[in-house]
Amino acid sequence: FEDISFDEGKIRVCRTLWRGNTYPPKTHPSLRTLKLPDRALDALTRARIDAEDHEWLFPTRSGNPVCAQDFYHVWKRQLRLLKLPDHFTYQQLRHGVASTLLNQGIPLPVVSRYLGHSDPSITARVYSHIIYGMEDAAAEGINQALGQPADSL
């Protein structure tokens, strides 16, 4: 729980778990502190109550960190316990977050940092289908900036 500030609503990404041991993340940009959305903070708060006797937020029944081969089963169990949709995979949720942020007009470098990509060009390459689908929004933004409503042209 030391990587989550429940009072501030933030999570620090500062280590990875591999075969029961923690290591620094692969790249420096992977080290980051993120503001949690309210729904995520609520879910993590509920998970903390369930795991209060353990060091890990999502422990195995014995209190150890989840190994890679068991992650899927623990992930599904936690989604059910937290009353979150259980049909999502971790990667689908990650993709959904990136897509939602980009569709909300959040700048690419901010989304890239949120995902822990070492360079915004990685984010642009992976999510180009979303970025390139926003041409209408870009044109409308220019119209608004110039004070010309689209229907008056």
Side-chain angles (χ1 to χ4, degrees), residues 2 10 21 36-37 55 94 101 117 143 150:
E2 65 191 62
K10 294 181 179 181
N21 296 307
L36 290 165
E55 176 184 353
R94 182 177 167 83
L101 292 173
H117 289 161
N143 286 338

Side-chain angles (χ1 to χ4, degrees), residues 17 20 54-67 74:
L17 179 66
H54 302 287
E55 176 184 353
W56 301 98
L57 186 58
F58 301 109
T60 62
R61 286 187 178 95
S62 62
N64 295 319
V66 177
C67 61
V74 174

